[in-house]
Amino acid sequence: MRNRREGEALPAVPRKAAVLRTNVMSQTDRWDVIIVGGGNAAICAAISAREHAERVLLLEAAPEHMRGGNTRHTRNIRCAHAKADEFFSGPYADEEFMADLVAVTGGPANIDLAKFLIQQTNQLPNWMTAHGAHWQQPLAGTLHLGRTNRWFLGGGKALLNSYYRTAERLGVKFRYDAQVEDIVIEGDRFEAVTIRSGDKAEIIRGKSVVIAAGGFEANLEWLEEYWGIAARNFIVRGTPFNRGTTLKTLLARGAKPIGDPKAIHAIAVDARSPKYDGGIVTRLDSVVFGVVVNKLGRRFYDEGEEIWPKRYAIWGGLILGQPDQIAYSIVDSKSIDAFLPPLYKPFRADTLEELAIQLQIDKDTFVKTMADYNAGAKGNTDVRMQVLDRVSTVGVHPPKTNWALPINHAPYYGFPLRAGITFTYMGVTVDERSRVVDNRDKPFKNVYAAGEIMSGNILSKGYLGGLGLAIGAIFGELAGRDAAINAGS
């Protein structure tokens, strides 16, 4: 793809294509702000834009019943705040938030944008409440996040429905099944998008555009360019519509990339999960409560390295490094009820030998691995899961540095694990107004990005639970507002 040259006409709609919903718009319409995407970042951008501009259009590639991208599978958001309240169990200062971000990621790519994000989250719950969000107490099994994260009532779908009702009441227009295939840019200025719905194509003009269409985690062919055939064993936790079409288009139009194209957020999910769109319920929280082995029956990493919300995101990548990209979480009767109930029933056996046969892993190696681990954990009788308790193994490689109870109380349980990919880190560079920056380090005049497609400006690796929604909301609101003001100038 190329940028349109100065004075060159807009490409024509294909002769056989029909204009969709002509009662809503026509080919000659020109919207103040066009929002590409349908999830948290997009709908926040649409609401914010409509509060500052008259004509706002949101284009969602999914059908209406699947609108919302990965937001549909979320349940909480991370925010800084000065004190406890009805929904936060204690204070979470900006400085602690930043320290957590640095500890998990090694440091944001753009420290100024990260500081802006964190500072803005102090007021985010108020903005969300004003636009339809409702709140609830932390769920059972997640109380360790009650100080840093806030739970919205009913989960991601309920939040989205509230936002969409707000946007509709404000006068935002929506198009579903509207896949953006191209972004028309003249010089450094956006002019139009081309969309396809079924066999119908259409050009829609706009004064500004906000790209909030996610990453490319559902595009296994693209992922295979970086991960090889291992990518075929990914389980895509979220929407099948995040294929990175608009990301590729922006990069082809000269947007400056940011983030490692191979970097992904992938966690341990049940290997029996659906290939796409299984959501948060496919996640397994059992890892820290036992041990993890590969199909050869060997442990391969410290299951007690860090408290769950700060470290769970590494396990997808670890599983990808194992034979056939599969692993197994092993717990006993002491721990089976200590974590959130899984979606699928575990394999269950009265002996470790029987469990190995059920899981189809190397029995002899597995039994020896468990014997070595139990010898190293001998005498450990009590753990404190809320802290790094240093209840560790001795003389075992790899060690388990925290919460290392022996696994010796039958029956024994096993869960098969695969890498569940949530999002990709590569995106486009943005400036302090969330405008997309080109390869000359100059912002496009009226092209903005929000959410996952620009999260690489803050996230380089690792993840803090609830941070993705915060990025989407803060930069969605910013991008929508600035795009609307820009459109009227």
Side-chain angles (χ1 to χ4, degrees):
M1 296 179 184
R2 60 179 178 81
N3 285 1
R4 195 160 54 89
R5 293 190 297 271
E6 189 81 25
E8 183 180 358
L10 284 167
V13 178
R15 185 170 296 175
K16 294 183 180 180
V19 176
L20 307 179
R21 294 192 189 179
T22 54
N23 61 320
V24 178
M25 68 189 67
S26 71
Q27 183 185 344
T28 58
D29 279 335
R30 192 177 186 212
W31 296 81
D32 292 326
V33 182
I34 295 172
I35 313 290
V36 180
N40 170 57
I43 193 64
C44 288
I47 290 170
S48 179
R50 182 61 186 88
E51 291 173 339
H52 296 86
E54 183 69 22
R55 306 190 72 237
V56 178
L57 172 67
L58 183 145
L59 301 172
E60 164 65 289
E64 185 171 1
H65 72 279
M66 291 185 70
R67 72 185 180 189
N70 290 344
T71 305
R72 294 158 52 240
H73 301 299
T74 60
R75 58 186 182 178
N76 62 79
I77 190 164
R78 183 171 292 254
C79 300
H81 48 277
K83 60 184 179 180
D85 63 12
E86 183 181 358
F87 302 107
F88 286 126
S89 63
Y92 188 47
D94 292 20
E95 295 77 13
E96 184 182 0
F97 195 151
M98 178 62 77
D100 286 343
L101 178 62
V102 171
V104 169
T105 67
N110 186 322
I111 189 68
D112 291 329
L113 284 183
K115 289 178 179 177
F116 171 81
L117 165 74
I118 291 171
Q119 190 277 325
Q120 292 296 306
T121 63
N122 284 273
Q123 298 303 316
L124 184 53
N126 292 337
W127 188 93
M128 293 175 67
T129 300
H131 293 89
H134 299 277
W135 306 96
Q136 68 182 46
Q137 296 295 323
L139 304 175
T142 63
L143 295 179
H144 52 286
L145 285 172
R147 187 173 64 85
T148 60
N149 290 38
R150 195 174 181 103
W151 266 253
F152 30 88
L153 183 65
K157 287 186 179 180
L159 178 68
L160 284 166
N161 288 340
S162 296
Y163 280 161
Y164 271 85
R165 284 193 294 269
T166 297
E168 186 173 13
R169 187 171 64 251
L170 289 171
V172 174
K173 301 299 181 183
F174 311 111
R175 292 281 297 272
Y176 299 106
D177 296 297
Q179 175 63 59
V180 172
E181 292 192 328
D182 197 6
I183 303 169
V184 182
I185 294 175
E186 181 177 300
D188 59 0
R189 180 169 291 277
F190 164 77
E191 295 290 345
V193 295
T194 62
I195 70 168
R196 180 167 295 278
S197 184
D199 61 351
K200 298 177 181 180
E202 183 177 352
I203 293 176
I204 303 175
R205 293 170 168 82
K207 298 177 182 177
S208 292
V209 66
V210 178
I211 309 296
F216 61 98
E217 61 273 6
N219 190 332
L220 298 184
E221 296 83 4
W222 193 357
L223 289 167
E224 195 169 333
E225 293 179 19
Y226 309 115
W227 284 94
I229 61 173
R232 301 175 189 177
N233 283 325
F234 280 128
I235 289 176
V236 181
R237 301 174 66 210
T239 176
F241 295 95
N242 277 13
R243 296 187 53 81
T245 304
T246 52
L247 173 58
K248 273 195 173 182
T249 301
L250 281 176
L251 295 176
R253 293 297 191 192
K256 184 178 181 179
I258 195 166
D260 180 355
K262 189 176 179 179
I264 58 173
H265 172 47
I267 68 169
V269 300
D270 197 296
R272 298 163 289 181
S273 305
K275 188 68 172 177
Y276 294 93
D277 217 34
I280 197 168
V281 295
T282 64
R283 189 182 75 200
L284 280 169
D285 293 337
S286 58
V287 167
V288 298
F289 294 92
V291 299
V292 178
V293 300
N294 59 25
K295 66 177 293 186
L296 304 179
R298 298 190 178 102
R299 292 177 60 241
F300 52 89
Y301 199 78
D302 177 3
E303 302 90 349
E305 183 180 55
E306 180 56 281
I307 293 173
W308 167 78
K310 295 182 181 178
R311 210 64 180 129
Y312 77 107
I314 70 166
W315 279 92
L318 292 170
I319 293 167
L320 285 171
Q322 302 310 305
D324 293 338
Q325 296 78 53
I326 194 163
Y328 304 87
S329 173
I330 311 297
V331 299
D332 66 8
S333 59
K334 296 193 304 296
S335 302
I336 190 63
D337 295 321
F339 47 90
L340 287 173
L343 179 62
Y344 299 98
K345 290 183 178 180
F347 290 86
R348 179 183 183 277
D350 290 326
T351 68
L352 291 170
E353 290 85 352
E354 291 173 3
L355 187 62
I357 292 170
Q358 289 188 37
L359 296 176
Q360 299 182 10
I361 59 181
D362 186 291
K363 183 180 68 173
D364 293 339
T365 302
F366 173 66
V367 170
K368 183 178 186 305
T369 294
M370 298 306 297
D372 290 345
Y373 170 81
N374 284 336
K378 185 177 180 180
N380 295 343
T381 59
D382 191 26
V383 297
R384 293 173 296 151
M385 296 304 303
Q386 293 78 15
V387 297
L388 299 174
D389 64 3
R390 301 306 177 194
V391 177
S392 61
T393 56
V394 177
V396 177
H397 181 78
K400 186 174 182 183
T401 50
N402 295 282
W403 320 304
L405 289 177
I407 300 174
N408 55 7
H409 283 199
Y412 303 99
Y413 301 88
F415 298 91
L417 307 176
R418 287 223 183 261
I421 184 170
T422 309
F423 61 81
T424 48
Y425 286 93
M426 183 178 71
V428 294
T429 305
V430 298
D431 68 3
E432 70 283 355
R433 291 165 54 188
S434 213
R435 294 180 299 179
V436 177
V437 172
D438 67 19
N439 284 313
R440 303 167 299 171
D441 289 322
K442 295 182 178 180
F444 291 97
K445 297 294 186 185
N446 55 352
V447 182
Y448 298 80
E452 182 186 339
I453 200 168
M454 52 68 63
S455 63
N457 291 268
I458 295 169
L459 285 170
S460 53
K461 61 181 180 179
Y463 187 64
L464 286 173
L467 184 60
L469 273 179
I471 292 172
I474 296 299
F475 289 97
E477 192 279 332
L478 171 64
R481 169 164 38 92
D482 205 78
I485 295 170
N486 191 355
S489 61

